[in-house]
Amino acid sequence: MTLPETAPAGAEPADASAPTAAASPDRTGISRRGLIGWAVGSGVAGLAVGAGAAAAGAGILRGAAPPDEFAFEGAHQAGITTRVQDHLHFASFDMMPRARRDDLVSLLQDWSHAAARMVTGLDVSASGAVGGPSEAPPDDSGEAQGLGATGLTITFGLGPGLFDADGDRFGIAHRRPAALAPLPAFVGDALDEAYTGGDLCIQACADDPQVAVHAVRNLSRIAFGRARLRWSQLGFGRTSRTSAEQQTPRNLFGFKDGTANILGDDAEALDAHVWAGGGGEQAWMAGGSYLVARKIAMHIETWDRLRLSEQDRTIGRAKGTGAPLSGGDEFAEPSFHGGAIDANAHVRLAHPTVNDGVRILRRGYNYVDGNNGLGKLDAGLFFLSYQRTPAQFIGIQKRLATDLMSEYVTHVGSGVWAIPPGAQKGSYVGAGLFS
Amino acid sequence: MTLPETAPAGAEPADASAPTAAASPDRTGISRRGLIGWAVGSGVAGLAVGAGAAAAGAGILRGAAPPDEFAFEGAHQAGITTRVQDHLHFASFDMMPRARRDDLVSLLQDWSHAAARMVTGLDVSASGAVGGPSEAPPDDSGEAQGLGATGLTITFGLGPGLFDADGDRFGIAHRRPAALAPLPAFVGDALDEAYTGGDLCIQACADDPQVAVHAVRNLSRIAFGRARLRWSQLGFGRTSRTSAEQQTPRNLFGFKDGTANILGDDAEALDAHVWAGGGGEQAWMAGGSYLVARKIAMHIETWDRLRLSEQDRTIGRAKGTGAPLSGGDEFAEPSFHGGAIDANAHVRLAHPTVNDGVRILRRGYNYVDGNNGLGKLDAGLFFLSYQRTPAQFIGIQKRLATDLMSEYVTHVGSGVWAIPPGAQKGSYVGAGLFS
């Protein structure tokens, strides 16, 4: 195949006059889906929200651009505080055994270049799906032609394995973040290697699943010879929200999930709990974050046979309204005094008050992978969380050892990745690691 | 679990005043998504399109109802001519070994009752997810609460195995349609039992995947003790259109697919090619159809390395525009004289002119089931077609033995089901088979 060119130093990542972007629907109507509510901190392209956005690292704001399009460049990568899109294609990659530092650098450059184009609705390269010579394979596989950006974000992560590769073949061992290490084993883990780990990860989120799939597929092509797909996961229903404009979605236990999530415009909470930097952190990680992924199989048939009161007790909230059992509405602060909420209810054990104030930003998805050999739906939650350090997730997950809910879930996949800050204009994600 | 009540004879299938339906968004604006264009023949509820709709079997039209809601009852089942929704959850079931005629009848009654509720955005029963006693398991698993109908259609089918069960335990052998038999083996088939066959099928389509998944999950619960899930498949991108209002979508080869499909308002073509009845057909099948499902794995990495000219030659159309290589625009009739289109191009071998005028109505979906052990995306087309008799599909599929495209696809799953006509108000799908 013909690889798209690597990003030239001064390249414009997006060409708003190109045909694909021009074909994108809904160029008018910026209040659609409550865009204003997401602008601060989520990198909405095309909205001149000014200093507030810059402060929260919303990235480069261009002039006229369609809504539902999020800039690739910025202080932080998009896809973290961005309002959670409807669909996910997550992919984990391993570097090829003979790959070296230059391969890793060129891969991150090529990925960033293609990603910056795709998030505007463009093909991976200028010649794209049909603009190249007819006697060569097209650069772009073509199934996203005409679909537009549909809110696509592409977020890249670097796994622990890159930093302790044999012979330090990537030359980055000395820049390993102290916090970046494989997660410890947790009570109840039943991890499958087929859904665990990876040197690199891509989180592609979009409102059209074909756009997310197209992104992973084409980034996987671009990786040819340097990295290869280790595992991937589609998710179809978001299980959290990062904008007050979004309804709290429901997980496959039928409960609202993510009610108390960190919102994308809560700069104070983001600085305290999500953005890495300061202290002993590696300088290249400033403005980055850490991503934990957990594939959590849900025993939905067993759950479905629980009486409603037991379901409520397990979660600590009412199934219908999402209100804590201690009273109030969905957004009322739960009270853990008086016994209304069981001491081992999920909401209590995951709550900041029993975790030294620790919070994480979640943006998981529901999944159904067909069915298992017993005629049961193979379903669950693909949990994704962002935090300043993986220690936040580790602490909460250890606390959940006595969670009533653990009887109905099994963690079958796992991974942790350092999420570099956003690319600067004309540069690439991870550039700071190699400079 | 508490099973929902079976459908009482005079039951209203939808209660527009119930809370879930009332929470459905977008109750105004009937022109959204070009609904008018779909009204004839697709069973749009709530639009008084009158005689034209009745003639095409649009079913029962209620008074005020939200758009994107399709009536369950009617001359034909919904989900055939209905404009193709964005998402699919398809499921195949086998009757339990000890199940008898009464179990099959009660299952179809219970399924129809629940389906008629769910397509209006309601839970499977009046008590639903949270309205029952707190000391009992809820009737409904709850993850679709508040999501609305989102265009949900639920289409039921009856497989060949029901009619030749041991000892004719369902008592319907004498009513077997002559055309209903397992499909013959085709050149290149590599069928996996895990994706093949089944006594019953459910095609759930909706614009929100969580709504389609919720439908299959809850119908699977209702089947408990009578039938069990054999296999299921999620599809995320439609690969055809049944309304002139819909853009022609692209399959994972990056080509427009379904350009020449039968449209839902083409009553003449539907009568000629889709609706069963007349001749030697079983009386209970009048107004029904036959569904063929094929899980077609696509070798996308190989395809992606083909030069563009060879991709175009294989299909017989241009990748960008979808126009036939013989000239004109996407909707131009291809010419098979003059050599512009290869004799073994897919478009030619599937075309009515080389298939004795035979056409089929397609409504397939793209799928990605994660990846295989070789680090390749496990991707393809979940092909679904409706026809007056399976012989239409069989003839075309035999013709495709020399299809240039067959080098890049492998059929790994298969099934055929008789699709009974739509339920009459207060009755159930398949009632005619048992009367």
Side-chain angles (χ1 to χ4, degrees), chain A residues 134 210 217 252 309 366, chain B residues 134 210 217 252 307 309 366:
Chain A
S134 72
Q210 186 134 327
R217 174 184 182 178
L252 293 181
S309 60
N366 299 321
Chain B
S134 73
Q210 187 134 325
R217 174 184 183 179
L252 293 181
R307 57 188 193 273
S309 61
N366 298 321

Side-chain angles (χ1 to χ4, degrees), chain B residues 401-435:
Chain B
T402 60
D403 185 3
L404 292 173
M405 201 171 75
S406 51
E407 191 171 338
Y408 310 103
V409 298
T410 303
H411 289 235
V412 297
S414 179
V416 60
W417 293 270
I419 305 296
Q424 298 308 301
K425 193 169 180 177
S427 184
Y428 64 98
V429 169
L433 171 59
F434 301 98
S435 64

